[in-house]
Amino acid sequence: MCGIVAYIGKKEAYPILIKGLQRLEYRGYDSAGVALIHNQELNLFKKQGKVSELISFASDKDTSGTIGIGHTRWATHGAPSDRNAHPHFSGNSDLAIIHNGIIENYASLKAELSQRGHQFSSDTDTEVLIHLIEDIRIKAGVDLEEAVRIALNEVVGAYAIVVLSKKNPDMLIAAKKSSPLVIGIGETDEYYIASDATPIIEYTKNVLYLNDEEIAILKKGEELRLINIKNQPKVPYIQELEMQLEAIEKGGFDHFMIKEIFEQPTSIKNSMRGRIDLNKGIVSLGGIREYKQKIINAERIIIVACGTSWHAGLVGEYLIEDFARIPVEVEYASEFRYRNPIITESDVVIAISQSGETADTLAAIKLAKEKGATIIGICNVVGSSISRATDAGSYTHAGPEIGVASTKAFTAQVTVLSLMALSLAQAKGSLSDSKLRQLMVELSTIPEKVEKLLNTDNQIKAIAEKFKNARNFLYLGRGYNFPVALEGALKLKEISYIHAEGYPAAEMKHGPIALIDEEMPVVVIATKHGNYEKVVSNIEEVKARNGKIIAIVTEGDTEVKAIADYTIEVPETDEALSPLLTTIPLQLLSYYIAIMRGCNVDQPRNLAKSVTVE
Ligand code: F6R
């Protein structure tokens, strides 16, 4: 949440900052702003709304300067408005700051600073931090670097910040704790800073991911210097980015979401690459090899995640219990961390996160670690905070996911969880060799089945046309496809703003059935091997009450076809792997409904891609 970008070098900063903000806009789009130093002046341009609003606002203004900072906001403290937009200035307008995170003790700091005569012009926690830095710099008579360091020792909460000073026009100071920050090392004297690598990739592949409580001092004509907030020098670890520029562009598609839906044959294949050897009959996830025995011996596995990743976790529970016979619990990270859970050293926690930055998941990991559990990560973003906080893990390799609604990340997570369950089952001997082999072969064929499924695109568009004005939707599934029902409902509500609920099909009669009438579309996942007859009965119950059935069925189905209003066929596969297929039409249905309703699918209202606040 909130994207930050900064540049110091010889080029004009403004175009770099704007392009960077556009790449980071998925992190929040309540307001955008930049501050630049030019001719000893600190110039500020900021506007409520998207980056495009900022561009129009600044179009007739002088945006020159070779040093600058920029911010795109997801509002936490203070409503979306021009005055709450970042960057924020210190009282004497010498300093400017951009910030991603939350300063939890901002109220007490603000009260103290107010008593000392500081006046604030926004409702944000961020403005308090820049006033604090200014206060320390003046009162303690220290330089900017030291003032930032002392201030960061006084704040409680999460921050990724960049500070710019009119008095130090050749310097940027960046620091982070719990919110991500990457520094790109360009040509001599040139640095790019951003919340993730997407604004940096087209300029340099050499990056430094800041660790918590580290401060980087970037000066023109000097090498980057790194200290921590205790003033101990740190050695920068520069690594090479593997990301490609094409991966973060739309490549001819209208939206990132649809591009990412269509990327799934490739992203699922990439998640499997090198991990299944059909010749040798081996499934292996290199990243967790050393921990495999520990997982097999675990008293139980606890999966922690949020949102779509939590839904993938539910599929993971079914897979691991089914294949490897190890007890699994799935927890919302946000609940887990606050409910005093019982965790022992024999527990293994699997944290699932696309971004690798979700604050609640990170906090759950920290808690489980303190209690001695082993932590395994399943993340998409290489080098992200979660991937670094875990003992071991497997990347999903889905490639950058820019659309706010998660699509290819979900199927990649389920692919990795399938591989994990198979590899644990293989090591434990809990599945017969022939069943293992059959599942491995089936899993390997999923990408081509997804490819085939994506050809039903037009049929789904036609169904979307029929239901685009519905006010509610119900999604039903059983067993492996219950989490898919939840995921289908989440996808629809987040991008089309239609109220939707996912339910285990059999639970419908315990309450939701009261909602069913001729106005209610009910999406039912009724694949051939998944409690089929029971789901057919559930469909009959809906039909008897005039509900409209959109059924996801296995190719060649006749029974459900005879009673459903609309059917979408998915290729046949093992029921355990069916979520990798049944999810796809639900993603497409949500996408087309949202488009037909005129919604911004890549940037749905109120949402942000990376939820770095609790
Ligand atoms: C839904 C969606 C969110 C995320 C959730 C967790 O489409 O994207 O529900 O799944 O915020 O995010 P990660 O996976 O980055 O931890």
Side-chain angles (χ1 to χ4, degrees):
M1 329 206 105
C2 297
I4 67 180
V5 60
Y7 173 77
I8 177 168
K10 296 193 179 100
K11 299 184 195 125
E12 276 301 299
Y14 182 74
I16 296 171
L17 298 180
I18 289 293
K19 206 167 190 188
L21 291 180
Q22 286 168 325
R23 293 217 195 281
L24 292 175
E25 208 167 17
Y26 71 88
R27 300 177 67 90
Y29 26 86
D30 289 329
S31 61
V34 294
L36 300 138
I37 296 181
H38 182 55
N39 290 341
Q40 282 91 49
E41 287 302 320
L42 181 51
N43 299 318
L44 177 67
F45 310 100
K46 54 185 195 173
K47 213 62 208 140
Q48 182 181 346
K50 302 204 163 172
V51 178
S52 54
E53 307 280 334
L54 171 67
I55 296 172
S56 330
F57 172 70
S59 62
D60 56 351
K61 307 195 168 51
D62 183 4
T63 51
S64 311
T66 54
I67 177 168
I69 57 180
H71 187 272
T72 178
R73 179 170 187 246
W74 186 83
T76 58
H77 294 59
S81 63
D82 290 353
R83 64 193 284 275
N84 286 332
H86 296 218
H88 288 287
F89 274 5
S90 57
N92 59 9
S93 300
D94 173 46
L95 305 177
I97 190 170
I98 46 173
H99 169 221
N100 164 213
I102 289 183
I103 307 301
E104 288 170 11
N105 58 338
Y106 86 102
S108 57
L109 291 171
K110 191 170 185 174
E112 271 176 43
L113 288 164
S114 298
Q115 273 183 356
R116 295 213 284 275
H118 286 259
Q119 287 181 347
F120 296 90
S121 48
S122 81
D123 311 313
T124 66
D125 50 336
T126 305
E127 193 189 8
V128 175
L129 177 55
I130 198 66
H131 276 250
L132 178 66
I133 294 169
E134 172 193 40
D135 195 75
I136 293 168
R137 181 152 95 162
I138 293 167
K139 291 250 157 49
V142 292
D143 62 15
L144 182 59
E145 172 186 330
E146 184 62 359
V148 170
R149 192 188 71 76
I150 297 171
L152 293 181
N153 277 282
E154 289 186 25
V155 301
V156 178
Y159 55 80
I161 56 164
V162 186
V163 176
L164 178 66
S165 161
K166 200 162 47 170
K167 286 202 194 104
N168 304 79
D170 290 334
M171 178 169 80
L172 287 176
I173 297 186
K176 81 142 237 153
K177 183 182 176 193
S178 301
S179 294
L181 206 60
V182 195
I183 300 176
I185 323 289
E187 288 160 13
T188 335
D189 289 1
E190 188 185 42
Y191 298 101
Y192 302 83
I193 308 174
S195 299
D196 70 30
T198 57
I200 296 176
I201 181 80
E202 66 186 276
Y203 307 108
T204 176
K205 290 211 158 189
N206 299 323
V207 296
L208 162 72
Y209 287 90
L210 281 198
N211 289 310
D212 277 354
E213 302 195 332
E214 282 182 349
I215 304 172
I217 300 98
L218 309 167
K219 283 189 185 164
K220 284 190 186 172
E222 284 185 23
E223 294 223 331
L224 174 154
R225 206 154 46 76
L226 202 58
I227 57 169
N228 66 12
I229 64 167
K230 297 199 175 76
N231 213 7
Q232 293 157 329
K234 306 289 281 182
V235 180
Y237 169 60
I238 315 277
Q239 49 185 295
E240 198 170 319
L241 279 178
E242 282 175 17
M243 189 188 287
Q244 301 301 325
L245 187 57
E246 308 80 70
I248 55 168
E249 297 190 325
K250 283 192 200 140
F253 285 89
D254 289 341
H255 302 97
F256 281 111
M257 183 177 175
I258 191 73
K259 174 187 175 233
E260 287 157 7
I261 291 174
F262 273 82
E263 272 173 1
Q264 290 175 107
T266 310
S267 52
I268 294 174
K269 210 182 280 169
N270 287 343
S271 303
M272 279 193 273
R273 195 180 303 283
R275 291 169 168 176
I276 298 186
D277 186 335
L278 286 178
N279 290 331
K280 293 195 183 132
I282 294 172
V283 184
S284 75
L285 286 163
I288 60 159
R289 195 172 297 133
E290 284 173 28
Y291 285 81
K292 207 191 272 182
Q293 207 51 46
K294 172 88 198 176
I295 305 175
I296 291 169
N297 294 338
E299 199 95 341
R300 73 191 160 149
I301 292 172
I302 306 165
I303 296 181
V304 292
C306 304
T308 289
S309 298
W310 184 80
H311 296 154
L314 285 180
V315 180
E317 174 185 24
Y318 288 35
L319 286 163
I320 295 170
E321 292 204 341
D322 199 2
F323 296 178
R325 311 303 298 154
I326 303 167
V328 181
E329 286 167 26
V330 188
E331 301 250 13
Y332 284 115
S334 53
E335 286 298 313
F336 176 76
R337 55 181 299 206
Y338 284 118
R339 67 167 185 78
N340 194 15
I342 299 166
I343 309 163
T344 69
E345 287 177 8
S346 58
D347 288 332
V348 168
V349 169
I350 300 179
I352 307 176
S353 174
Q354 186 286 127
S355 61
E357 301 296 343
T358 302
D360 284 319
T361 310
L362 252 177
I365 291 172
K366 279 187 192 143
L367 174 74
K369 229 178 187 178
E370 275 161 27
K371 305 218 176 199
T374 300
I375 320 288
I376 306 293
I378 297 181
C379 288
N380 194 37
V381 178
V382 176
S384 54
S385 304
I386 291 178
S387 66
R388 285 180 290 142
T390 49
D391 295 307
S394 297
Y395 283 115
T396 44
H397 299 304
E401 191 180 63
I402 316 272
V404 164
S406 198
T407 52
K408 64 174 180 172
F410 175 79
T411 46
Q413 288 164 347
V414 173
T415 304
V416 169
L417 286 160
S418 307
L419 292 165
M420 201 176 269
L422 285 173
S423 129
L424 294 173
Q426 185 157 49
K428 202 175 160 184
S430 49
L431 286 180
S432 68
D433 286 350
S434 61
K435 182 69 190 169
L436 252 174
R437 182 155 184 89
Q438 182 219 325
L439 285 165
M440 282 161 59
V441 171
E442 265 308 315
L443 188 55
S444 320
T445 62
I446 291 288
E448 68 203 56
K449 290 181 178 171
V450 173
E451 188 94 58
K452 188 172 171 197
L453 193 45
L454 287 166
N455 293 331
T456 54
D457 194 33
N458 279 332
Q459 187 199 347
I460 296 170
K461 225 182 257 176
I463 300 174
E465 186 63 48
K466 298 263 180 234
F467 293 101
K468 64 178 190 231
N469 295 321
R471 298 187 58 199
N472 298 288
F473 259 79
L474 203 55
Y475 285 73
L476 303 177
R478 292 183 83 125
Y480 278 101
N481 281 298
F482 159 53
V484 175
L486 295 178
E487 176 58 10
L490 176 63
K491 220 76 313 168
L492 185 72
K493 64 188 142 194
E494 68 183 326
I495 60 168
S496 73
Y497 319 137
I498 296 175
H499 169 244
E501 287 191 53
Y503 256 92
E507 276 293 303
M508 184 188 58
K509 57 187 171 295
H510 298 288
I513 199 162
L515 295 169
I516 292 176
D517 60 16
E518 61 284 357
E519 300 281 300
M520 176 68 99
V522 184
V523 178
V524 188
I525 303 144
T527 42
K528 194 164 141 194
H529 304 293
N531 270 319
Y532 182 74
E533 293 307 331
K534 300 263 186 245
V535 179
V536 172
S537 307
N538 299 139
I539 294 175
E540 294 284 11
E541 289 155 15
V542 175
K543 276 315 288 177
R545 287 153 185 89
N546 297 324
K548 295 279 175 294
I549 299 283
I550 303 161
I552 312 297
V553 298
T554 308
E555 250 168 26
D557 178 282
T558 49
E559 199 174 339
V560 172
K561 254 190 186 155
I563 42 175
D565 297 276
Y566 302 91
T567 49
I568 301 163
E569 290 192 342
V570 298
E572 186 164 357
T573 190
D574 192 284
E575 185 62 12
L577 305 178
S578 66
L580 290 167
L581 301 180
T582 50
T583 307
I584 312 282
L586 304 191
Q587 295 170 344
L588 287 168
L589 185 66
S590 308
Y591 173 77
Y592 286 119
I593 289 180
I595 293 294
M596 288 169 192
R597 290 165 71 93
C599 301
N600 182 342
V601 292
D602 281 342
Q603 292 170 353
R605 71 182 178 209
N606 305 338
L607 291 175
K609 182 86 187 145
S610 183
V611 187
T612 53
V613 297
E614 293 173 25

